[in-house]
Amino acid sequence: MIQLEQIRKTYTNNGQSIHAVDDVSLRINEGEIYGIIGFSGAGKSTLLRCVNLIERPTSGQVIVDGVDITSQSKRALRETRRDIGMIFQHFNLLESKTVFQNVAFPLLLDGKKAKDVKGKVEELLAFVGIEELANKYPDELSGGQKQRVGIARALVRSPKVLLCDEATSALDPQTTDSILKLLKDIRDQYNLTILMITHEMQVIREICDRVAVMENGKVIEEGTVFDLFSSP
Ligand code: ADP
Ligand code: ADP
């Protein structure tokens, strides 16, 4: 589903080169929940941003569903991005819009009419368990509720891939559990491929099928969660 082939991302700061991602190759299967774990500065978020080309890799290919998206035209890439949803540590909601409007927003940007997206938005709000919050504003919600809005918004264009950037790091352990359970339900229901980065072992243990450990821009271990993290 997602193939990363020798991805490198080099930043230059005051003449100094930093290899934020240094020759990373990974294959993530359809329907898999794949975790990337590592300390702060390991290169996880740079790598994740390379997958949807928010960052252009300095070299290497990102192949989604057999298509090399690193060589796509701008227009083709816009289409590809519809297949890739993303959720964030700090939710990134629009504060001046209601829950309903936040979730509907990507479809309105696509030129759809509000009345035509209502069914889809309501279906997703129900799926993530917050249909009664449709008319609230983000500052009236708990962290867990905000992330449910973020998840519903990420799913509204029916993507094939969901990228999760430290999606539970701002949440307490109980809320984290409920969001992880929701992500698992989403994978099971929609056969979505989920790629998540985290610095929390609990997240990896709880829902990931396979995991890569990153350090200094490189993947230093890769395997099933059982292989890597079960005690001998
Ligand atoms: P992680 O997500 O694992 O904390 P990052 O991908 O954020 O790691 O960072 C990896 C390395 O790249 C760090 O050394 C960081 O300082 C550097 N870095 C990240 N983004 C930029 C940028 N936009 N410009 C320069 N250096 C960056
Ligand atoms: P099935 O696999 O049972 O045929 P569909 O793919 O037709 O299901 O989808 C059923 C419903 O779920 C539709 O309303 C569709 O828009 C929605 N849906 C499908 N995939 C996703 C997704 N990745 N994110 C959000 N909604 C989705």
Side-chain angles (χ1 to χ4, degrees), residues 11 13 18 20 39-47 49 55 197:
Y11 294 112
N13 284 339
I18 301 171
F39 294 114
S40 176
K44 305 181 296 295
S45 47
T46 303
L47 182 65
R49 290 198 305 267
E55 295 278 5
I197 62 169

Side-chain angles (χ1 to χ4, degrees), residues 107-231:
L107 296 180
L108 301 182
L109 285 181
D110 287 343
K112 299 221 164 76
K113 298 264 180 298
K115 65 173 175 23
D116 297 331
V117 306
K118 193 157 181 278
K120 178 76 184 177
V121 172
E122 283 172 353
E123 171 195 324
L124 280 170
L125 289 178
F127 182 71
V128 303
I130 54 168
E131 64 266 61
E132 75 285 2
L133 301 177
N135 296 316
K136 301 264 186 216
Y137 287 86
D139 69 359
E140 302 176 277
L141 306 180
S142 70
Q145 289 168 338
K146 283 185 200 173
Q147 194 56 290
R148 283 169 195 270
V149 178
I151 290 169
R153 180 183 56 185
L155 295 180
V156 79
R157 284 161 145 174
S158 304
K160 298 184 190 136
V161 173
L162 180 63
L163 305 180
C164 308
D165 185 353
E166 298 280 0
T168 56
S169 300
L171 305 174
D172 63 57
Q174 240 182 329
T175 309
T176 292
D177 277 350
S178 69
I179 293 294
L180 293 178
K181 186 177 168 303
L182 175 61
L183 291 175
K184 216 175 196 170
D185 289 346
I186 288 166
R187 186 272 300 271
D188 295 343
Q189 169 108 5
Y190 298 123
N191 196 36
L192 226 72
T193 305
I194 300 182
L195 175 59
M196 52 173 58
I197 62 169
T198 182
H199 63 274
E200 297 174 304
M201 197 55 221
Q202 178 210 0
V203 168
I204 299 286
R205 273 188 204 280
E206 229 158 284
I207 66 163
C208 291
D209 302 309
R210 286 193 299 149
V211 59
V213 182
M214 272 189 92
E215 210 174 279
N216 294 323
K218 293 184 186 296
V219 169
I220 57 163
E221 301 269 358
E222 207 219 340
T224 66
V225 174
F226 183 83
D227 286 347
L228 260 58
F229 297 112
S230 60
S231 333

Side-chain angles (χ1 to χ4, degrees), residues 46-69:
T46 303
L47 182 65
L48 195 72
R49 290 198 305 267
C50 282
V51 175
N52 58 5
L53 301 188
I54 292 176
E55 295 278 5
R56 277 257 151 214
T58 308
S59 62
Q61 281 92 42
V62 179
I63 299 164
V64 178
D65 239 355
V67 176
D68 177 2
I69 69 170

Side-chain angles (χ1 to χ4, degrees), residues 53-125:
L53 301 188
I54 292 176
E55 295 278 5
R56 277 257 151 214
T58 308
S59 62
Q61 281 92 42
V62 179
I63 299 164
V64 178
D65 239 355
V67 176
D68 177 2
I69 69 170
T70 31
S71 62
Q72 276 186 320
S73 68
K74 262 192 179 158
R75 180 146 171 247
L77 187 57
R78 254 202 308 277
E79 281 303 307
T80 299
R81 284 216 179 96
R82 305 167 56 82
D83 287 336
I84 308 177
M86 188 160 178
I87 59 174
F88 306 90
Q89 178 173 8
H90 297 295
F91 324 118
N92 297 13
L93 303 179
L94 301 167
E95 297 295 325
S96 64
K97 294 193 182 290
T98 65
V99 166
F100 184 98
Q101 291 166 337
N102 267 278
V103 175
F105 198 65
L107 296 180
L108 301 182
L109 285 181
D110 287 343
K112 299 221 164 76
K113 298 264 180 298
K115 65 173 175 23
D116 297 331
V117 306
K118 193 157 181 278
K120 178 76 184 177
V121 172
E122 283 172 353
E123 171 195 324
L124 280 170
L125 289 178

